[in-house]
Amino acid sequence: MTHAPVSGWGFWLLILLIGLGTFALRLSFIHLWGRIQFPQIVHRALRFIPAAVLAALVLPALLRPEGSIDFSVHNLRLIAGVLAAIIALLTRNVLFTIAAGMATLWITQMIH
């Protein structure tokens, strides 16, 4: 089954409808959050969303820099990521963690 491409006004109408749908969905949660009493377990679970999203974005770049899983010492991103994770655990300082991870990556890339 082939579909004709959306063009002209149809394209912009589609973009507008998708934008309105996204806005309505987000606004509904913001609106409901203050009016409905959610169970405490929901509040606890929502605290982990930022960490889960960050892990979903960062881990594939660390573990699969060339498209396949690489746990070798030649995976410079993984080395920098592990060092950054250790620094994060020790210092709890986000800026220092990012700076140390980037510096490690740059230095290992220059050496390699």
Side-chain angles (χ1 to χ4, degrees):
M1 176 186 231
T2 61
H3 298 284
V6 179
S7 62
W9 287 104
F11 173 76
W12 292 110
L13 180 62
L14 181 64
I15 294 295
L16 179 67
L17 290 174
I18 291 171
L20 287 173
T22 301
F23 179 76
L25 183 64
R26 292 175 187 219
L27 182 64
S28 67
F29 280 104
I30 292 170
H31 180 71
L32 289 175
W33 190 257
R35 290 174 169 58
I36 295 177
Q37 185 64 28
F38 290 98
Q40 190 61 31
I41 193 166
V42 172
H43 289 278
R44 282 185 291 195
L46 289 175
R47 288 189 353 218
F48 295 104
I49 289 177
V53 170
L54 182 63
L57 292 172
V58 171
L59 284 179
L62 294 180
L63 298 178
R64 301 176 50 142
E66 302 297 327
S68 61
I69 294 178
D70 182 10
F71 288 112
S72 72
V73 295
H74 301 291
N75 184 351
L76 305 179
R77 292 175 188 260
L78 182 59
I79 293 168
V82 168
L83 180 69
I86 292 169
I87 290 172
L89 289 172
L90 294 175
T91 66
R92 304 276 186 199
N93 185 321
V94 176
L95 291 176
F96 187 62
T97 300
I98 293 170
M102 289 304 300
T104 303
L105 181 62
W106 291 337
I107 290 168
T108 56
Q109 285 176 338
M110 283 190 299
I111 293 171
H112 194 267

